[in-house]
Amino acid sequence: LGSPRRPSTELGPVLRRAISGDERGPVCVILLIGLWRSLAVGTLHLYHSIRIKFMESRGMDLPEAGAYVAASDGVGIVVAPLLAALCRFTGLKPMIALVPVVAGGGISLLHRLNADFPPVDVDHSSVRLGVLLLSAMEVFVPILPLALLPANAGQLGSAYGAVEIIFIAVQMAEHFALGLVRVRYGYRGAFWLILGGFAAVLLASVPVLLYSRENKRPWQPTRCVSQAG
């Protein structure tokens, strides 16, 4: 009748391969990292999809709004490597908790444009700071959780695939929700949805911090061991 099936064979082939190998982490850790990345990057993509039109709705013309966010993106590209260098001293896991705080602070500053009182315009220093923080996070955040995978997965290719599958599913759900919220509540509701997304990222950070592993020296190359055959 054959030997009974191992529990891991009940998993999909991508996730099953992701936890194979001699140096493997539990599948829940890969799922947690994938969920954190999906929520963090997906929520940043929600902001990215509305930012120019939002600025245009607050009095800028379209070219001016595009130049405004492009300048912020340029600064973000410069800041992101500095954050990566900081990881050499702090490690990766502290950044997992810091990201939703910084991104949530940035969207809160930008959300002031939705307030009726006190009046704030797009040239206000707090609004510019919020856009800069979000631009830096858009560059830095997608790479951060992927850098945790080598210490937690047996086969990196399969682990990356599993994380990407989760990301696609969560991002589709988030954008569908954004469309519904914008139709009913406008930009004010969209910003509350994005704030809620970053709150969810902060909650998802807790199990990632508790259960994931990271290399003690993240700047050194990682040797990934997998079974042959």
Side-chain angles (χ1 to χ4, degrees), residues 31-227:
L31 294 176
L32 287 171
I33 293 173
L35 178 63
W36 188 95
R37 180 176 183 265
S38 301
L39 290 171
V41 179
T43 304
L44 285 168
H45 283 182
L46 295 185
Y47 157 73
H48 189 92
S49 68
I50 66 172
R51 59 181 188 167
I52 292 180
K53 282 294 184 181
F54 174 69
M55 292 295 182
E56 189 179 12
S57 73
R58 292 304 180 269
M60 287 186 169
D61 57 36
L62 186 58
E64 185 183 8
Y68 184 95
V69 297
S72 298
D73 288 347
V75 176
I77 291 172
V78 174
V79 172
L82 301 179
L83 295 174
L86 182 62
C87 289
R88 297 185 58 172
F89 302 98
T90 65
L92 297 170
K93 291 173 70 173
M95 292 294 179
I96 291 290
L98 183 61
V99 160
V101 176
V102 174
I107 204 69
S108 297
L109 292 173
L110 196 56
H111 191 33
R112 295 182 64 194
L113 290 173
N114 287 316
D116 298 323
F117 183 84
V120 176
D121 60 28
V122 292
D123 288 323
H124 195 275
S125 58
S126 63
V127 174
R128 289 187 175 275
L129 176 60
V131 176
L132 286 173
L133 290 175
L134 289 164
S135 292
M137 291 299 99
E138 284 189 287
V139 178
F140 176 68
V141 169
I143 305 169
L144 178 61
L146 299 182
L148 279 175
L149 286 181
N152 293 279
Q155 293 191 7
L156 281 180
S158 297
Y160 286 139
V163 168
E164 192 66 19
I165 290 171
I166 299 170
F167 170 70
I168 292 171
V170 172
Q171 183 171 237
M172 287 177 61
E174 284 190 322
H175 277 80
F176 183 74
L178 178 66
L180 293 177
V181 169
R182 275 196 62 190
V183 169
R184 187 172 182 84
Y185 300 106
Y187 284 112
R188 190 187 298 267
F191 271 76
W192 280 115
L193 176 65
I194 294 170
L195 280 168
F198 288 131
V201 176
L202 186 59
L203 291 176
S205 301
V206 176
V208 173
L209 292 173
L210 290 175
Y211 299 113
S212 67
R213 298 174 297 185
E214 68 171 309
N215 299 325
K216 297 299 183 181
R217 297 177 178 177
W219 58 89
Q220 291 187 350
T222 300
R223 182 171 179 266
C224 187
V225 179
S226 60
Q227 294 177 340

